Amino acid sequence: MKRKLLLLAMFLGLQYAAFAQSKKVTGKVIDATTQMVLSGVSIIADGTKGATSSSTEGLFSLDVPLATSSIRVSYLGYQEQSVRLTGQPLLIALTAQQNELSEVVVVGYGTQKKKDVTGSISTIGAKDVGGRQTVQISEALQGAVPGVSVTRSNGAPGAGSSILIRGITSLNNNSPLIIVDGVPVSNIDNINPNDVDNISVLKDASSASIYGSRGAAGVILVTTKRGKSGKSSLDYTFEYGLQKATANPEYVGIQDYFRYFNERSINDGGTNIRTDEFIDTYLENNSKDPDAFPNTNWQDVIFHKNYAPRKRHDLVLTSGTEKLKTKASFGYANSDALYDNYNYERFLFRLNNDLQISSTLSANVDLSYKRTNTQTPTYNPIYDSRILPAFYDDHYTDGRYAPAKEGLNPIANVLEGGTTDGKLNQLQGRIGLNYKPIKGLTLSALISPTFDFDKSKTYNKQIKYYDKEDPARQIYVRGASTTLSESRTERYAINGQLLANYSTSIANEHNLDALLGYEENYDNTENLGAARDGFPLLGYPYLDAGSTQLWSNSGNAREAGLHSYFSRLQYNYKNRYYLQGNIRIDQSSRFAKEYRTATFPSFSGGWVLSEEKFLKGLRAINFLRLRGGWGRAGNERIGDYPYQANLTTTTALVYQNGVVVPVVGAGQQVYAIPNISWETTQSTDIGLDASFLDSRLNIAATYYRKKTFDILLPLDIPLYVGYDKPDQNAGTLSVNGWEFEATWKSKIGQLGYSIAVNASDAKSRIGDLKGTQTLGDQLIREGSEYNEWFGYRYDGIFQNAAEVAAGPVANASTKPGDFRFVDANGDGKITPDDKVTLGGALPRYQYGGNIRLDYKGFDFALVFQGIGKKLTRRTSESIQPFLSAFGNVPAEMVGKFWSTNNTEAQNLAAFYPRLSNNSNPQNYALSNHWLMNGSYFRLKNLTLGYTLTQKFINKVGLQSVRLFASANDLFSLSHFPKYIDPEAGDFAYPIVSTYLFGASVSF
């Protein structure tokens, strides 16, 4: 018994000693700015495993060893603190982190903190938009957002780009919905890039379904900059740039052209067109008599400007008090082209006002105006400037225009053939009221009308050409007469919204946010056109100067309405578990009454693993979340009232009482399907968001699957019905893909730097099309990719008559030097039935990124972009000789085509077929031989800026001055020949590099 008592005494003594070696730390945690208590804050004793978290009152208590001198305090969205122990209760004030997770993200009809977003949403800020130094926002998006494909085919002044979100959504309209400050707009390029505060891209149905029938192809939300309280400034930015073609096709010289033309003639059974002596002495004769022996480089004649100027002015006035915040901006942009009579001019005005009427009532009153003036020649000279051989003359030596090819003189057409002038005006107003009757509840009303007034005038002038020797003798005339056509378009659209938003927190653990809304959209457009011929005065382009005997007119109108009810409910528990649900009910006038209503639901959820105990102690992980979502969105952009039987009017000439008179008739051409309805897209997403190393490294990764069904297709109907095929809801299409983005932001001494990269993949697959298919060089049929290449399998070049005889061949005119194709169906001949799918025409992989540096007053930015795994068809301007039977020969072909003048080894290595006009339809039919790796890497933007020191500029009353130099589309790496830009379309205006310098001054 004594032994047991002794052991008990020893045990209690050890326990007392252990207790005596620890101490209790107590305290309270609050927000440094709001002074509100913070619950769930992690408190860890340095050097130990001891840890706790704050209560709902922000209180905590923790036993720590006596030797412990500090504790570590961390909370999601706040800067971590190391707090020294004083022996007294602690009051710890945490400061909110200014990182990506604390950023406010614009979502449908509201905002959320980035850490609370459970849908698939990507954002970019003002630096990523305005910093690209582009005139058009669409171009600034290229490579900036994972899953967003921005495609351009030319760099003409004012040209925009097409935008796809997560690839193809429909076989019809794939353009995303554009929302600016909560109001739908027709074109994202109607906004000044320097007015943009941020852009959010809603990519999945769980985030876009709040826009219902308009959200299937994704939604782009643009928020413009607004005034701030207590800040007034006047900012002016000027930039001047020069644009230069990144590449232009190259063609052989005139003597080689004649030699190849002779060879082609002989190959097609003819004789030499030009003698060797004529060819050999041509350049010598040209120097003596250029009128008789022209040598015209048509590209140099048309694109005579090596550099086309581009300039911009932006003036911004900002002023703010607690009662009124105002931001007014004016933007002017002017771009010339590389050839004459081509200009783009744009004026943009925006006024944003925020009024605090009372403690519970505020208002937004905004006004914007856009005016665009465009001028282009009525004739596009690019095709002719590239195919016209050099032996056609542009001017006589006395300065008069030469007729070139039978009156087709590109430079005369550009300078004297007339212009198309467009004047586009858009005026938009926006009034919003926000009323907060009780804490957490906001009632909002918004109305926004938009007015478009557009007009266009095309003045096509007749051009007369005269004989070189006899200036009085007319030999050619371009155009039967001088004509003028004008059009007027007026559009009125109005958007109205009523919103109720309520948010609350229960015991600082249960957070709720509910939205209830109603929206009305109405759109009305009217078009009017008129034309006259026979203008005796070429310098007077007005309709009353034309002949009253040669006139025409036209007109049409359309309207559509959409009203909608929608709701969103968000819930999170301790910022750890998130749930969100959306539902929208749309009613569109484009459908019959009984098929007019559709419901689009979605839900999403998130789990913040970094708030769990098993990860909360890891300092390297600041934030880790799993998220997923499912939803449906629709596409109601299917034309106007396709369910109705529409009549098409025609005019016929008939005899009445011996006189020919016009009689207007009408008839139904397309069979009407009354039960036509929405195209619906369903998508499923799963994603991961993470932040590491004191939020310096942020990553986001997403995998998604989406499927569109009830796609409109023109299905066959019996011929005896007597109507054209109507569209019916029938098709399906699916897309699978992934997205990844990562950013690293940090500082080394006074050097701040950031690196951001993104990449994405999307692969489409056509589903059931009810037996329909689209056949051509690109294919749409069940099982194929969208617009997959469809052609022959190349099997080499026939080298001799024996190989031709052994076949298979496409026709009896096939000869050695022509292409051989695979007989896919084994019938012994080459027919269209031997065509097979050859691969995708859309890029699988897209990527982009940027690097930014800031050191003292210097700033540097580099932006890159590219695509991978895409099959591109070689442009005909770069591979096909003698287009239109007489055109130029691409320089790329020299030494690479099959010829009777080659050695056997050279012909075996030939890439191009023999020169032949007769065999061109066969040889240049689409085959895998004419497809190439279309991937590329492009340096999109390079900018270097310097901001003058305050010490210098304050003396002259300035707030800041920044000087900058920038270059856009500086260079690219690709598999294309050096004189073909990887983005350029066939016979398109060149992609251009732009070299800029400018200054920004703030008063």
Side-chain angles (χ1 to χ4, degrees):
M1 182 68 181
K2 291 181 179 180
R3 179 178 294 179
K4 290 182 178 179
L5 291 173
L6 181 62
L7 290 173
L8 178 61
M10 292 176 62
F11 176 76
L12 292 174
L14 290 172
Q15 288 292 96
Y16 177 80
F19 180 79
Q21 293 176 0
S22 67
K23 57 185 177 181
K24 184 180 291 294
V25 178
T26 61
K28 185 177 182 178
V29 187
I30 62 174
D31 183 291
T33 302
T34 66
Q35 305 297 303
M36 294 182 65
V37 299
L38 297 176
S39 64
V41 177
S42 174
I43 298 98
I44 301 173
D46 282 344
T48 74
K49 294 183 178 179
T52 188
S53 59
S54 61
S55 69
T56 56
E57 292 81 25
L59 303 174
F60 69 90
S61 175
L62 178 66
D63 291 326
V64 301
L66 280 175
T68 302
S69 61
S70 64
I71 58 175
R72 185 156 37 91
V73 184
S74 62
Y75 189 55
L76 180 66
Y78 289 80
Q79 296 177 10
E80 184 178 294
Q81 281 192 31
S82 179
V83 181
R84 294 191 63 81
L85 303 182
T86 63
Q88 301 296 322
L90 301 171
L91 179 63
I92 303 170
L94 292 183
T95 302
Q97 279 184 329
Q98 295 303 313
N99 58 25
E100 291 192 6
L101 296 176
S102 62
E103 291 177 359
V104 174
V105 176
V106 178
V107 298
Y109 305 99
T111 60
Q112 297 176 6
K113 284 190 175 181
K114 192 169 186 178
K115 67 182 181 63
D116 298 333
V117 173
T118 54
S120 188
I121 300 176
S122 291
T123 63
I124 58 174
K127 276 189 176 181
D128 294 307
V129 181
R132 289 281 191 100
Q133 311 296 341
T134 63
V135 175
Q136 310 290 25
I137 290 181
S138 59
E139 188 178 345
L141 289 176
Q142 194 172 37
V145 182
V148 176
S149 170
V150 179
T151 306
R152 56 180 180 166
S153 60
N154 70 85
S161 305
S162 63
I163 302 174
L164 295 177
I165 297 177
R166 290 186 169 178
I168 296 299
T169 302
S170 170
L171 302 182
N172 300 298
N173 193 323
N174 286 285
S175 299
L177 174 67
I178 310 296
I179 303 288
V180 178
D181 291 334
V183 179
V185 299
S186 58
N187 190 339
I188 195 172
D189 289 327
N190 287 346
I191 308 148
N192 189 337
N194 289 331
D195 279 343
V196 173
D197 186 38
N198 61 73
I199 294 177
S200 294
V201 182
L202 314 186
K203 295 183 284 190
D204 67 331
S206 66
S207 58
S209 70
I210 195 72
Y211 288 100
S213 62
R214 299 171 295 161
V219 183
I220 298 177
L221 306 177
V222 181
T223 302
T224 60
K225 297 174 181 176
R226 309 191 74 84
K228 296 180 180 179
S229 179
K231 183 177 181 180
S232 296
S233 65
L234 177 64
D235 303 313
Y236 171 68
T237 300
F238 167 75
E239 68 179 39
Y240 182 83
L242 295 173
Q243 302 172 104
K244 180 180 176 61
T246 59
N248 269 321
E250 296 177 4
Y251 299 97
V252 301
I254 190 167
Q255 290 174 301
D256 284 336
Y257 173 84
F258 283 135
R259 294 186 183 105
Y260 296 144
F261 201 94
N262 281 345
E263 182 172 343
R264 187 198 74 167
S265 177
I266 292 172
N267 287 344
D268 286 343
T271 59
N272 283 341
I273 304 300
R274 302 290 186 182
T275 65
D276 290 343
E277 180 183 3
F278 176 87
I279 297 172
D280 294 340
T281 61
Y282 192 88
L283 293 180
E284 180 183 348
N285 290 330
N286 167 256
S287 63
K288 298 176 182 178
D289 188 355
D291 284 344
F293 298 88
N295 186 17
T296 308
N297 187 322
W298 284 101
Q299 287 197 97
D300 287 351
V301 170
I302 295 298
F303 296 96
H304 68 94
K305 303 177 185 177
N306 289 327
Y307 293 92
R310 189 193 102 180
K311 49 185 175 287
R312 289 176 64 185
H313 301 268
D314 280 295
L315 186 65
V316 180
L317 173 64
T318 305
S319 181
T321 66
E322 291 185 2
K323 292 292 186 180
L324 174 63
K325 305 177 189 69
T326 296
K327 180 180 179 295
S329 67
F330 171 77
Y332 173 78
N334 189 301
S335 298
D336 279 344
L338 295 168
Y339 57 86
D340 293 309
N341 281 334
Y342 200 153
N343 178 263
Y344 173 82
E345 184 180 49
R346 186 181 68 187
F347 302 84
L348 293 172
F349 171 78
R350 181 173 293 275
L351 178 64
N352 288 350
N353 293 298
D354 300 311
L355 293 84
Q356 191 65 46
I357 301 171
S358 68
S359 60
T360 58
L361 181 63
S362 63
N364 312 113
V365 182
D366 301 342
L367 184 68
S368 64
Y369 173 70
K370 180 215 69 168
R371 164 78 172 210
T372 301
N373 298 325
T374 61
Q375 182 182 73
T376 59
T378 57
Y379 156 86
N380 187 334
I382 295 177
Y383 180 85
D384 291 327
S385 71
R386 291 177 181 169
I387 72 160
L388 271 184
F391 66 83
Y392 289 116
D393 202 2
D394 58 339
H395 291 87
Y396 298 137
T397 51
D398 62 9
R400 290 179 295 128
Y401 290 115
K405 179 175 170 54
E406 299 171 350
L408 178 62
N409 183 332
I411 190 63
N413 287 339
V414 166
L415 297 177
E416 306 294 339
T419 60
T420 295
D421 296 278
K423 300 184 186 302
L424 313 179
N425 301 275
Q426 184 177 86
L427 179 65
Q428 184 180 72
R430 177 180 176 271
I431 298 177
L433 294 174
N434 301 290
Y435 178 56
K436 298 180 179 180
I438 59 174
K439 181 181 179 181
L441 176 63
T442 301
L443 303 177
S444 302
L446 180 148
I447 187 166
S448 177
T450 301
F451 303 91
D452 287 276
F453 307 97
D454 302 336
K455 64 179 182 178
S456 175
K457 177 181 291 190
T458 298
Y459 193 45
N460 217 328
K461 296 196 292 186
Q462 186 182 63
I463 302 176
K464 298 178 180 180
Y465 298 96
Y466 296 88
D467 184 67
K468 176 172 67 74
E469 304 297 338
D470 183 4
R473 187 167 71 89
Q474 179 178 306
I475 53 176
Y476 291 107
V477 177
R478 181 259 193 185
S481 63
T482 294
T483 63
L484 173 66
S485 60
E486 297 196 34
S487 66
R488 300 287 188 271
T489 299
E490 290 191 9
R491 175 177 175 261
Y492 164 65
I494 190 165
N495 172 267
Q497 300 173 25
L498 296 173
L499 306 175
N501 189 285
Y502 181 72
S503 61
T504 188
S505 181
I506 303 172
N508 286 326
E509 292 184 346
H510 305 277
N511 302 299
L512 287 168
D513 193 298
L515 169 72
L516 187 65
Y518 171 79
E519 182 174 14
E520 186 87 29
N521 284 281
Y522 174 76
D523 196 320
N524 179 282
T525 303
E526 288 192 20
N527 298 291
L528 181 67
R532 282 192 182 185
D533 289 8
F535 284 78
L537 300 175
L538 296 186
Y540 193 76
Y542 299 97
L543 287 173
D544 64 343
S547 171
T548 58
Q549 303 298 315
L550 301 168
W551 60 270
S552 64
N553 54 53
S554 62
N556 59 73
R558 55 168 297 275
E559 67 176 345
L562 177 75
H563 59 257
S564 315
Y565 306 87
F566 50 90
S567 179
R568 175 171 59 224
L569 180 64
Q570 298 168 263
Y571 167 78
N572 82 70
Y573 175 68
K574 289 187 174 182
N575 294 316
R576 187 179 304 172
Y577 309 111
Y578 290 80
L579 290 173
Q580 176 176 307
N582 301 285
I583 190 168
R584 183 171 181 124
I585 301 172
D586 276 338
Q587 295 180 316
S588 172
S589 66
R590 290 191 166 109
F591 306 103
K593 187 175 182 179
E594 55 270 33
Y595 302 99
R596 187 161 290 169
T597 304
T599 302
F600 301 98
S602 72
F603 63 84
S604 59
W607 176 25
V608 183
L609 286 81
S610 53
E611 286 297 293
E612 300 292 351
K613 291 182 179 179
F614 57 84
L615 286 180
K616 207 161 188 177
L618 297 179
R619 297 189 62 181
I621 301 177
N622 305 107
F623 181 73
L624 182 63
R625 175 181 63 188
L626 286 173
R627 55 178 166 79
W630 173 93
R632 286 184 171 182
N635 176 23
E636 57 105 30
R637 293 173 292 179
I638 59 171
D640 298 317
Y641 313 109
Y643 70 92
Q644 292 182 337
N646 296 317
L647 299 180
T648 301
T649 60
T650 59
T651 301
L653 298 177
V654 299
Y655 275 103
Q656 287 186 355
N657 300 320
V659 179
V660 177
V661 294
V663 176
V664 177
Q668 181 181 349
Q669 292 186 353
V670 179
Y671 190 78
I673 302 294
N675 63 350
I676 195 171
S677 188
W678 321 81
E679 296 182 351
T680 302
T681 297
Q682 176 177 295
S683 71
T684 304
D685 286 59
I686 184 168
L688 173 73
D689 303 306
S691 181
F692 304 101
L693 305 174
D694 295 328
S695 298
R696 288 176 292 175
L697 175 62
N698 295 275
I699 66 171
T702 304
Y703 174 78
Y704 65 89
R705 299 171 65 94
K706 69 177 182 178
K707 182 177 182 179
T708 303
F709 50 92
D710 288 337
I711 297 175
L712 291 176
L713 297 173
L715 299 185
D716 288 332
I717 58 175
L719 293 177
Y720 59 76
V721 175
Y723 295 106
D724 291 342
K725 293 187 255 186
D727 283 335
Q728 301 181 55
N729 295 108
T732 61
L733 165 71
S734 61
V735 178
N736 299 339
W738 55 262
E739 297 162 0
F740 174 81
E741 57 184 322
T743 60
W744 173 271
K745 184 182 295 185
S746 187
K747 292 190 73 173
I748 303 175
Q750 295 188 61
L751 174 66
Y753 69 96
S754 67
I755 302 171
V757 294
N758 70 76
S760 61
D761 172 34
K763 184 176 182 180
S764 63
R765 184 66 60 188
I766 303 296
D768 185 10
L769 298 183
K770 303 299 185 213
T772 65
Q773 59 183 6
T774 302
L775 298 179
D777 289 345
Q778 289 180 286
L779 172 75
I780 296 177
R781 74 178 177 193
E782 186 173 346
S784 74
E785 295 183 43
Y786 177 83
N787 270 354
E788 187 169 0
W789 294 114
F790 185 61
Y792 298 103
R793 284 282 177 192
Y794 174 76
D795 194 29
I797 297 177
F798 288 113
Q799 297 295 323
N800 51 56
E803 290 185 4
V804 173
V809 297
N811 51 60
S813 65
T814 303
K815 294 180 180 179
D818 289 334
F819 278 2
R820 179 172 54 212
F821 300 121
V822 173
D823 180 15
N825 63 1
D827 64 358
K829 55 187 177 181
I830 301 299
T831 67
D833 292 335
D834 294 309
K835 290 185 176 183
V836 296
T837 54
L838 300 173
L842 296 178
R844 280 288 305 276
Y845 307 119
Q846 301 187 75
Y847 60 89
N850 63 71
I851 299 172
R852 299 188 185 279
L853 306 174
D854 294 283
Y855 180 73
K856 296 184 177 179
F858 291 94
D859 61 89
F860 171 81
L862 180 152
V863 181
F864 62 88
Q865 169 264 338
I867 63 173
K869 200 172 182 181
K870 175 189 177 184
L871 284 176
T872 297
R873 186 176 189 171
R874 297 171 188 264
T875 57
S876 58
E877 65 183 6
S878 65
I879 63 170
Q880 190 167 348
F882 309 116
L883 282 167
S884 298
F886 65 88
N888 264 320
V889 177
E892 167 71 10
M893 297 183 62
V894 176
K896 300 177 184 178
F897 62 87
W898 194 99
S899 174
T900 54
N901 299 319
N902 289 347
T903 65
E904 182 178 349
Q906 288 174 323
N907 279 338
L908 286 171
F911 182 84
Y912 294 93
R914 69 190 179 106
L915 302 177
S916 169
N917 193 50
N918 295 340
S919 295
N920 272 357
Q922 167 191 338
N923 293 331
Y924 288 93
L926 180 65
S927 69
N928 60 312
H929 187 70
W930 299 125
L931 299 178
M932 64 178 294
N933 185 346
S935 61
Y936 68 84
F937 167 89
R938 188 184 291 280
L939 182 57
K940 288 293 299 179
N941 176 264
L942 204 62
T943 298
L944 177 64
Y946 178 69
T947 301
L948 300 182
T949 61
Q950 292 289 325
K951 181 179 179 181
F952 174 78
I953 63 175
N954 284 346
K955 295 179 180 179
V956 291
L958 300 176
Q959 292 188 32
S960 67
V961 176
R962 178 176 177 264
L963 307 175
F964 63 89
S966 183
N968 287 342
D969 297 308
L970 197 57
F971 76 89
S972 62
L973 301 175
S974 72
H975 299 273
F976 291 77
K978 65 178 182 178
Y979 55 81
I980 297 294
D981 189 280
E983 292 186 83
D986 206 7
F987 293 104
Y989 188 97
I991 302 293
V992 294
S993 297
T994 306
Y995 306 93
L996 300 151
F997 68 88
S1000 296
V1001 182
S1002 181
F1003 297 89

